[in-house]
C-alpha cells in the first residue's frame, strides 16, 4: 500500500511541476493578447513553442504511465472517490497526449501564435487572401493531430479534436441537439421578424469615457462576487478569461464610448468564466483534473448564465440602472429599467456572433460547426471559405456579408487551432438554462434577490453544485447531478420563448 500511495504522491508532485510550465504558457498567452507589441510575435511564438514542447514532454513522461498503472492497481487508493476520479482523468489525458508527437506539438504552438498575428492583420484589412495560406497550414496541422488521436479512438477526425474541449461529445450528438434547437428557434425568429415591432432601441448615449466604464464594470464584477485580490480586468480586442492558476484569474473586456451596455455584457460574460475559475479547487489540486474545469460547455454555461440569465433579466436592471446612474450621471437620464431590459433583448439577425442576441446566436454556431468540419476533412478548400460562409449567412440569417472582416475573419478561434470548440458555446447556453431552472426551484425568489443586488446565494449555489467538483464527474453527469435531469434543449427554448414572446407580443 505505502508504495502505491507514494506513486500517487509522486504523480501529484509531477503534475504540479508540469502545471508550473502550463500556467507560464497561460501568462504568455494573456500577455500576447493584451500587452505584447505586434513585432513581439516571432519571439513569443518561439517561447510558447519551446514551453509547449517541455510541457508535453513532462505530461508524456514514461514515469507517468508507470505511476498511473500502480495507482490503477491500488484498490485502497481507488476506494476514495476523489482520488479515483483524479486517476481516471489523468489516464484520459495521458492516453491522448502520448499519441501526439512532440514535434507536432511544437509546430502547432508556433504556427498558431504566428497565425493569430496574421489573422489580426488580415482582419484589420479585411484581406482573407493574405490569411488563407496560414489558415490552410493550421487546418493541415490540426488534421495531422486529429489523425494521431484518432488512432486511439473509433470516432471521426472532428470528434478526436472536439474531445479536448467537450470530453465524450461527438459530432453526431451535437448535430441531433442542433437540429432540435433549430426547429424550435427558427419559427420564433421568423415570427419576431414578421411582427417587426422592436421591443426597444439599442442603448446609445453620449460618450462615457473608458475609465468611467471600467470602474463601473469593476463595481458590477465585485458585486456578483469576482475576487479582485485574485484577478484582474483589462482590455483586449476580443474579450476573454485566462484562468492562469490558483490566485490568478485574468479577464478582459472592450469598450465603445456610446454604449456602456456592450462592455458590461462582455464583462459579465468573462466574469462568469472567472467566477468558475476562482471557484475551482486549484490550490488544493494544482495541475490535477480535480482542480480543472469539467468541460468548455460547462465553462460557457457559467459565462452565459451571468451574461444572459442574470444580465439580460429585468430584475438585474432594477438593481444595475441606479448603480449606473450613480457612476455615469445625467447621461442616462431618460432610461428606466424596463427600457434597458427591452433594449438588451432586441432580437435581430446580425453579422457578428459576439454581438448577436440570444435567439440568433446559436445559428452562428451551427454555421461554424458545419464549415469547420468540412474544412477539416478537406470537403471545403480553405480558399472557398468566404463564399461558403456568405452563402450560409444568406440562408440561415438572411444577411448579406459586406466584407470578410464581418464574415469569416471575425473570430480568432481557427487561427488558434481551436477546431471543434464552437459547439461548446451552444452547449453552454443549454447547460445554463437547465442550471437556472434548478436554481429558481431551489433558491426561491431569485428575482427579488437580484433586484436588490444580492448575488451571493446564486454564486454559493454554483460553487456548491458545479465549481467545487472540478473534473470529478464528466460534464453530462455533473449537469444531471446538479439539476436532476440529463441535458436537453427544452429549458433553453422555454426560457427564451417565455421571455421573448411577451416582449414582442407574438
Ligand atoms: Zn465564453
Amino acid at each position: 500500500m505505502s508504495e502505491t500511495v507514494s506513486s500517487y504522491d509522486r504523480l501529484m508532485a509531477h503534475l504540479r511541476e508540469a502545471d508550473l510550465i502550463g500556467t507560464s504558457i497561460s501568462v504568455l498567452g494573456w500577455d500576447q493578447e493584451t500587452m505584447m507589441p505586434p513585432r513581439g510575435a516571432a519571439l513569443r511564438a518561439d517561447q510558447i513553442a519551446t514551453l509547449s514542447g517541455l510541457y508535453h514532454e513532462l505530461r508524456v513522461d514514461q514515469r507517468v504511465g508507470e505511476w498511473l498503472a500502480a495507482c490503477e492497481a491500488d484498490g485502497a487508493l481507488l476506494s476514495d472517490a476523489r482520488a479515483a476520479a483524479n486517476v481516471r482523468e489523468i489516464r484520459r489525458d495521458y492516453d491522448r497526449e502520448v499519441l501526439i508527437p512532440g514535434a507536432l506539438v511544437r509546430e502547432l504552438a508556433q504556427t498558431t501564435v504566428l497565425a493569430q498575428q496574421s489573422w489580426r492583420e488580415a482582419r484589420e484589412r479585411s484581406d482573407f487572401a493574405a490569411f488563407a495560406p496560414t489558415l490552410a497550414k493550421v487546418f493541415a496541422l490540426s488534421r495531422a493531430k486529429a489523425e494521431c488521436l484518432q488512432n486511439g479512438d473509433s470516432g471521426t477526425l472532428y470528434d478526436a479534436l472536439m474531445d479536448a474541449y467537450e470530453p465524450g461529445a461527438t459530432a453526431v450528438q451535437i448535430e441531433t441537439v442542433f437540429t432540435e434547437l433549430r426547429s424550435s428557434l427558427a419559427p420564433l425568429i421568423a415570427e419576431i421578424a414578421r411582427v417587426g415591432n422592436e421591443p426597444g432601441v439599442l442603448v446609445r448615449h453620449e460618450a462615457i469615457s473608458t475609465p468611467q466604464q471600467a470602474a463601473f464594470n469593476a463595481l458590477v464584477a465585485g458585486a456578483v462576487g469576482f475576487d479582485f485580490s485574485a484577478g484582474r480586468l483589462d482590455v483586449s480586442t476580443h474579450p476573454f478569461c485566462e484562468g492562469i492558476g490558483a490566485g490568478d484569474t485574468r479577464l478582459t473586456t472592450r469598450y465603445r464610448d456610446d454604449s456602456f451596455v456592450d462592455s458590461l455584457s462582455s464583462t459579465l460574460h468573462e466574469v462568469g468564466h472567472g467566477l468558475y475559475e476562482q471557484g475551482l479547487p486549484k490550490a488544493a489540486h494544482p495541475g490535477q483534473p480535480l482542480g480543472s474545469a469539467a468541460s468548455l460547455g460547462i465553462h460557457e454555461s457559467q459565462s452565459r448564465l451571468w451574461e444572459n440569465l442574470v444580465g439580460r433579466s429585468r430584475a438585474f436592471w432594477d438593481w444595475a440602472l441606479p448603480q449606473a446612474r450613480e457612476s455615469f450621471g445625467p447621461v442616462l437620464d431618460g432610461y428606466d429599467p424596463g427600457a434597458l431590459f427591452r433594449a438588451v433583448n432586441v432580437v435581430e439577425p446580425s453579422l457578428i456572433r459576439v454581438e448577436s442576441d440570444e435567439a440568433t446566436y446559436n445559428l452562428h454556431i451551427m454555421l461554424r460547426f458545419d464549415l469547420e468540419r468540412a474544412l477539416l476533412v478537406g470537403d471545403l478548400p480553405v480558399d472557398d471559405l468566404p463564399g461558403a460562409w456568405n452563402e450560409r449567412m444568406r440562408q440561415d440569417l438572411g444577411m448579406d456579408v459586406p466584407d470578410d472582416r464581418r464574415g469569416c475573419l471575425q473570430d480568432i478561434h481557427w487561427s488558434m487551432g481551436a477546431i471543434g470548440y464552437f459547439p461548446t458555446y451552444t452547449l453552454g447556453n443549454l447547460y445554463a438554462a437547465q442550471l437556472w431552472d434548478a436554481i429558481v426551484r431551489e433558491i426561491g425568489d431569485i428575482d427579488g434577490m437580484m433586484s436588490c443586488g444580492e448575488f451571493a446565494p446564486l454564486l454559493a449555489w454554483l460553487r456548491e453544485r458545479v465549481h467545487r467538483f472540478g473534473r470529478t464527474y464528466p460534464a453530462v453527469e455533473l449537469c444531471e447531478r446538479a439539476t436532476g435531469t440529463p441535458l436537453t434543449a427544452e429549458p433553453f427554448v422555454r426560457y427564451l420563448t417565455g421571455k421573448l414572446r411577451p416582449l414582442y407580443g407574438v
Side-chain angles (χ1 to χ4, degrees), residues 269-270 273 300 303 425:
H269 180 99
E270 302 309 334
H273 284 302
E300 191 69 6
S303 58
Y425 288 135

Side-chain angles (χ1 to χ4, degrees), residues 173-193:
Q173 289 167 355
I174 298 289
E175 233 173 337
T176 310
V177 174
F178 281 9
T179 305
E180 183 194 343
L181 198 55
R182 185 188 288 273
S183 69
S184 309
L185 291 181
L188 177 68
I189 296 167
E191 264 187 87
I192 289 174

Side-chain angles (χ1 to χ4, degrees), residues 233-290:
L233 175 62
D234 295 279
V235 182
S236 68
T237 326
H238 293 269
F240 66 93
C241 164
E242 187 75 65
I244 289 170
D248 194 349
T249 298
R250 312 278 178 104
L251 314 177
T252 68
T253 189
R254 59 183 172 189
Y255 295 96
R256 49 180 298 169
D257 60 7
D258 66 347
S259 174
F260 82 97
V261 169
D262 280 13
S263 181
L264 177 64
S265 104
S266 293
T267 303
L268 267 176
H269 180 99
E270 302 309 334
V271 163
H273 284 302
L275 291 172
Y276 185 27
E277 289 290 326
Q278 291 185 335
L280 290 166
K282 293 185 194 185
H285 302 286
Q288 300 168 28
L290 289 181

Side-chain angles (χ1 to χ4, degrees), residues 239 269-270 273 296 299-300 303-304 307 353 361 421 425:
H269 180 99
E270 302 309 334
H273 284 302
L296 287 192
H299 225 307
E300 191 69 6
S303 58
R304 303 297 277 185
E307 178 193 3
R353 173 184 63 86
Y361 182 90
Y421 186 118
Y425 288 135

Side-chain angles (χ1 to χ4, degrees), residues 76 165 232 269 405 488:
Y165 307 117
R232 296 182 53 87
H269 180 99
R405 193 170 61 82
T488 71

Side-chain angles (χ1 to χ4, degrees), residues 293-328:
S295 76
L296 287 192
I298 295 294
H299 225 307
E300 191 69 6
S301 76
Q302 302 304 293
S303 58
R304 303 297 277 185
L305 189 145
W306 290 97
E307 178 193 3
N308 292 334
L309 282 297
V310 174
R312 291 184 210 276
S313 70
R314 170 64 204 249
F316 174 80
W317 284 103
D318 283 336
W319 169 76
L321 181 61
Q323 306 294 319
R325 272 226 179 83
E326 215 158 290
S327 298
F328 302 141

Side-chain angles (χ1 to χ4, degrees), residues 143-159:
R143 188 190 162 93
K145 179 178 169 182
E147 280 164 354
C148 298
L149 290 168
Q150 203 189 13
N151 290 336
D153 186 359
S154 55
T156 64
L157 289 174
Y158 188 82
D159 291 347

